[in-house]
Amino acid sequence: MKLSLYPYRLEFKFPFKIAHGTRTGTDVVFVKIEHKNHVGWGEATLPPYLPETQTSVIDFCTQFAREYANHGLHDWVAGLSNVQTNMSAKAALDMALWNLKANLEGKSIAGLLGIAFTEFPLSTYTIGVSGFEEMQQKIAEATALGFRIFKLKLNGEKDEEVIRNFKKLSSAQFAVDVNQGWKTVEETLANIKWLKKEGCILVEQPLPKDMLAEMRDVKRKSTLPVYADESCQRLSDIGKLRDCFHGINIKLMKCGGITEAYQMILRARANGLKVLIGCMSESTIGCATAAQLTPMADFADLDGPFLIKNDPFDGIEIRQGQIKLKALRQKINIPPQPLL
Ligand code: MG
């Protein structure tokens, strides 16, 4: 088992505005694990609102590899399953191990999990808070890429303008992601009523993540499905969300990889919740890996690679709004970080 680490910065095609601020790119660390002439790639994506950094991911992965230096694949998987911190670093290692295992066995990750790899859900293209012309450019770009459905970021400030602009530019279906930007049950219900009339199909994280008592009220009265994102990080969160949301947004960076994400889908289903598989501006590595779970999901939001202008990998595309996976190919070589 040989581990290599590749710190890199993904640059966005368009600066990305959400409720947390504006960004031009995202730091990542790519993880490669090699074993018996096979390779598995993983990715830790590190948006600035999360606590992990390239340095912390490199430290964590280096220490993990040192601890398991003389162990095989089974022990790496077992050792990682006990990790409860550094979720992005964990996700990168977990992804790399799943991809390695799939390659060793000549299967897909979906195949290893027994997921029928037939129908993929529609994947949304996210439009950060943007003015009319920028939105026009983004819709044109997304439509040319094959997207058929959009996710509009709202922040409670210019929501009506965003929706008005979008409706002038497109008749496509859309969801909204409020990123905790609304303040009260009354505001949320009034906005949902209005958005339903405008043709919105789903509302993500309307209220601050800990306002679960208020969300219970919203769920009872809402005419649109409401999904948890910031309120739902891990498997252990799901039980308390069943009466507050209609669905959850599962991301590998939040829950530490495919292993827990798969368990989260099962638990969400057992609790009557719908499932969206999302991403945090990952490249092709993160999104193509997460896509393996999407035949079990109601929606996908795996647009990361399509928002980036320097993705080092190729392997995912959108046709008729649905994800299609291709053989993974590295387009840009990145110098490895020497292990500490
Ligand atoms: Mg979200």
Side-chain angles (χ1 to χ4, degrees), residues 216-264:
R216 199 164 290 165
D217 213 12
V218 169
K219 179 177 179 177
R220 264 201 315 271
K221 297 171 185 163
S222 177
T223 48
L224 284 175
V226 282
Y227 278 54
D229 185 2
E230 287 86 343
S231 295
C232 183
Q233 303 286 322
R234 305 283 311 270
L235 182 64
S236 54
D237 292 325
I238 294 175
K240 66 177 189 261
L241 300 177
R242 61 177 293 168
D243 298 326
C244 311
F245 292 92
H246 299 90
I248 58 169
N249 183 340
I250 298 172
K251 297 176 181 171
L252 301 186
M253 290 304 128
K254 291 193 294 190
C255 71
I258 288 287
T259 307
E260 185 157 323
Y262 177 68
Q263 294 300 326
M264 287 178 79

Side-chain angles (χ1 to χ4, degrees), residues 32-299:
K32 182 168 78 174
I33 302 177
E34 294 166 272
H35 184 54
K36 294 182 181 166
N37 292 322
H38 286 273
V39 171
W41 281 98
E43 173 179 2
T45 308
L46 306 158
Y49 51 86
L50 295 181
E52 291 175 77
T53 62
Q54 286 180 325
T55 307
S56 73
V57 170
I58 290 163
D59 283 350
F60 178 90
C61 294
T62 305
Q63 277 182 36
F64 186 87
R66 193 172 292 145
E67 196 178 334
Y68 288 89
N70 300 316
H71 294 255
L73 178 57
H74 179 81
D75 289 344
W76 281 54
V77 170
L80 197 61
S81 73
N82 294 323
V83 170
Q84 298 298 333
T85 59
N86 300 74
M87 299 313 281
S88 302
K90 180 181 180 180
L93 289 170
D94 177 274
M95 247 186 260
L97 291 168
W98 274 102
N99 280 316
L100 174 65
K101 194 157 186 261
N103 288 335
L104 281 164
E105 296 193 22
K107 292 181 177 175
S108 63
I109 293 173
L112 293 175
L113 288 167
I115 300 170
F117 218 42
T118 48
E119 194 67 12
F120 288 88
L122 289 172
S123 186
T124 51
Y125 180 95
T126 300
I127 299 187
V129 175
S130 33
F132 186 81
E133 273 165 32
E134 196 182 336
M135 188 185 274
Q136 189 167 28
Q137 276 181 308
K138 289 177 183 174
I139 292 172
E141 158 108 4
T143 307
L145 285 164
F147 285 92
R148 294 287 177 271
I149 178 169
F150 292 85
K151 183 154 109 181
L152 309 176
K153 292 281 190 182
L154 300 182
N155 59 11
E157 285 169 25
K158 295 182 175 170
D159 296 356
E160 286 185 33
E161 188 183 322
V162 170
I163 301 299
R164 197 164 54 239
N165 286 344
F166 178 78
K167 302 267 300 202
K168 274 186 207 157
L169 292 164
S170 173
S171 56
Q173 283 194 314
F174 69 95
V176 299
D177 185 358
V178 190
N179 288 113
Q180 318 179 72
W182 296 338
K183 305 278 185 292
T184 63
V185 172
E186 294 68 31
E187 181 188 14
T188 301
L189 289 172
N191 283 337
I192 286 174
K193 196 172 167 197
W194 156 65
L195 285 165
K196 166 115 178 155
K197 263 192 272 170
E198 298 292 339
C200 177
I201 57 165
L202 179 166
V203 176
E204 187 172 307
Q205 197 67 46
L207 289 172
K209 62 185 166 65
D210 296 323
M211 288 178 67
L212 296 183
E214 289 81 356
M215 279 310 303
R216 199 164 290 165
D217 213 12
V218 169
K219 179 177 179 177
R220 264 201 315 271
K221 297 171 185 163
S222 177
T223 48
L224 284 175
V226 282
Y227 278 54
D229 185 2
E230 287 86 343
S231 295
C232 183
Q233 303 286 322
R234 305 283 311 270
L235 182 64
S236 54
D237 292 325
I238 294 175
K240 66 177 189 261
L241 300 177
R242 61 177 293 168
D243 298 326
C244 311
F245 292 92
H246 299 90
I248 58 169
N249 183 340
I250 298 172
K251 297 176 181 171
L252 301 186
M253 290 304 128
K254 291 193 294 190
C255 71
I258 288 287
T259 307
E260 185 157 323
Y262 177 68
Q263 294 300 326
M264 287 178 79
I265 298 174
L266 300 182
R267 190 169 296 180
R269 294 298 185 210
N271 280 280
L273 291 165
K274 292 197 178 288
V275 170
L276 188 160
I277 305 285
C279 66
M280 287 192 179
S281 63
E282 283 97 317
S283 76
T284 290
I285 295 290
C287 287
T289 306
Q292 297 280 330
L293 298 176
T294 59
M296 296 176 78
D298 300 286
F299 288 100

